[in-house]
Structures are given as structure tokens and as C-alpha cells.
Amino acid sequence: MTNEIDAWNTFFKTGSVLDYLEYKAIQNAKEPLNKEEENEILDDRSDSTKAEYR
């Protein structure tokens, strides 16, 4: 497996979709697994009532 820089340089030279996907796979492997929880917006309202739809 190559590192992120080598994978990017290979993609830059070839323009191949497969090379880009390899680059993104390496990049995504470095990120935390719970990215969804990290980006979650919590509902911190003091009351428990939500919008009333009529």
C-alpha cells in the first residue's frame, strides 16, 4: 500500500478514477470511524415539544 502523497501523485499523473479511489481510500482510512457522530447536531432545547404541524 502506498502513502497518501504517492497515491495523489499517481492520480495527478494518470487522471484515472481507480487511482483517485485508491487515494480516497487511504485518506478515509486515516479519519475517525465515527464521523457521523462527530458531525451530529444535538437538539439542546430546554422544552421537549417539537414543531406543531397542522
Side-chain angles (χ1 to χ4, degrees):
M1 181 185 251
T2 60
N3 66 17
E4 185 178 356
I5 295 170
D6 291 339
W8 174 257
N9 288 333
T10 301
F11 164 67
F12 187 75
K13 289 177 191 174
T14 65
S16 168
V17 172
L18 293 177
D19 290 335
Y20 178 74
L21 292 176
E22 181 180 354
Y23 163 72
K24 288 304 288 181
I26 293 169
Q27 192 178 44
N28 289 340
K30 294 183 345 180
E31 294 181 9
L33 296 177
N34 295 327
K35 191 76 170 168
E36 184 176 327
E37 290 178 9
E38 184 179 308
N39 293 332
E40 183 178 350
I41 299 173
L42 300 175
D43 185 7
D44 290 336
R45 295 190 290 177
S46 60
D47 62 343
S48 61
T49 58
K50 302 291 183 190
E52 183 178 327
Y53 297 101
R54 295 178 184 210

